[in-house]
Amino acid sequence: MLPPSSDDILYEVRGPKSWECMTSAELTGQLAMTDCAIVPVGAVEQHAGHLPLGQDNFQISEIVRRSVLQLAHENRHVIFGPTIPFGPVSNVRFAGCINIRPSTLAVLTKEVCLNLHRDGVNTIVLAMGHDLSLGALMVAARELTEETGDRLRVIVANWLPYVVSLLPQVFTDLPPGARDGHGGAGETARMLAQHPALVRMDLARDYHVAATRSATPFAHPVTAGGGVYIPRATTIRDEAFQGILGCPSLGTPEIGETLYDALSRWLSDIVREYCFGASESYNY
């Protein structure tokens, strides 16, 4: 374990270069090849004692990075856009959370997208990396298309329903009926694969919540593919809850790689269909 003041290298940044890492000249070269960009949208919030506060930013940027590479290998050029690092968060009793209003995120997202559009980006995929940001991103996307007369196309990509379906397949040792979520096996595995020096497994504690499924079809959260939205400032009031929901003890780098590969390929499929596919797609 490295102390917070250590001068050691914590992690390395891998290519392709993102918007922030490119020079203006390099970006101009990218814009000559494509008018499509993927913008990661994350958050800064507690992930218990064992994962970094920037977990959501790290993992959505990694998903986007891999997707940009996959598409480039097919000669489909997409710009790795700037990360929008903040969003609405719950459970702010834990230190480190940076909570902004959904309305603030919607305005911030619009401002970022309009700056990209000014430089020549005409299609933007907002890769959502934090569940509470979904509504704000949908509002921003709708308002941007209205205000630009469809000159700017904005697509919101929510990978959470897909990862929810993947977790039981890759974590076969999950206790029957247990739910894995925030700071759990999936997020722990992804960070172990991406930046293991940022993970404090000595502080990881499994926390089990019985997962029940309503008999009513799609009576589960919108962000996970359902049809219900019930916001709460504090999701779990149990004093034993330390910010972990699930089983971080089951996370491994190998499973993290499997998840990153699947999630980035899903995002690549979305980009192919909506950015390089039919121009007038209307898909349910």
Side-chain angles (χ1 to χ4, degrees):
M1 179 188 71
L2 295 172
S5 59
S6 170
D7 191 38
D8 292 344
I9 296 173
L10 295 176
Y11 61 88
E12 60 184 13
V13 177
R14 305 185 67 178
K17 286 185 176 182
S18 66
W19 190 282
E20 302 96 319
C21 292
M22 282 186 275
T23 69
S24 180
E26 289 173 329
L27 178 59
T28 299
Q30 291 284 306
L31 291 165
M33 294 190 294
T34 183
D35 67 349
C36 179
I38 311 177
V39 173
V41 186
V44 176
E45 64 168 339
Q46 64 80 25
H47 282 76
H50 71 295
L51 293 176
L53 292 162
Q55 171 79 24
D56 290 355
N57 290 323
F58 283 122
Q59 64 186 357
I60 193 60
S61 294
E62 179 65 7
I63 291 169
V64 170
R65 184 189 74 82
R66 294 183 182 217
S67 177
V68 170
L69 277 177
Q70 291 162 12
L71 293 164
H73 290 155
E74 305 167 7
N75 204 32
R76 301 179 194 268
H77 298 291
V78 180
I79 295 171
F80 185 170
T83 298
I84 298 175
F86 302 119
V89 301
S90 55
N91 300 312
V92 295
R93 66 185 176 91
F94 296 101
C97 296
I98 297 180
N99 175 33
I100 66 173
R101 297 175 183 273
S103 54
T104 302
L105 176 60
V107 172
L108 174 61
T109 300
K110 288 178 62 178
E111 295 288 348
V112 171
C113 290
L114 287 172
N115 276 275
L116 269 62
H117 185 45
R118 177 205 64 219
D119 283 344
V121 176
N122 297 315
T123 300
I124 297 173
V125 178
L126 297 173
M128 190 199 77
H130 175 66
D131 57 350
L132 297 188
S133 297
L134 180 60
L137 299 185
M138 293 172 68
V139 168
R142 179 64 190 177
E143 291 186 356
L144 283 165
T145 55
E146 291 258 354
E147 293 169 11
T148 63
D150 289 324
R151 291 187 301 277
L152 174 60
R153 298 178 66 230
V154 184
I155 300 141
V156 179
N158 170 21
W159 52 272
L160 291 179
Y162 183 42
V163 78
V164 167
S165 72
L166 288 175
L167 291 177
Q169 302 173 36
V170 297
F171 293 109
T172 56
D173 293 332
L174 276 175
R179 177 187 170 194
D180 190 77
H182 186 77
E187 289 198 311
T188 301
R190 290 193 291 276
M191 190 52 63
L192 286 171
Q194 185 181 2
H195 299 317
L198 300 185
V199 182
R200 289 285 305 275
M201 287 305 293
D202 58 310
L203 297 178
R205 302 289 185 273
D206 291 357
Y207 183 90
H208 298 293
V209 173
T212 58
R213 176 75 70 168
S214 171
T216 304
F218 298 100
H220 55 284
V222 168
T223 51
V228 178
Y229 176 59
I230 308 175
R232 288 179 292 176
T234 301
T235 56
I236 298 176
R237 298 188 181 277
D238 179 9
E239 292 184 0
F241 175 65
Q242 294 300 312
I244 300 172
L245 184 61
C247 307
S249 63
L250 299 179
T252 67
E254 293 76 19
I255 294 178
E257 279 292 331
T258 297
L259 289 170
Y260 269 136
D261 183 66
L263 294 171
S264 59
R265 291 186 183 283
W266 177 86
L267 181 58
S268 295
D269 288 343
I270 297 300
V271 174
R272 284 189 203 94
E273 180 170 347
Y274 287 92
C275 300
F276 296 100
S279 60
E280 297 296 331
S281 61
Y282 195 81
N283 208 337
Y284 277 107

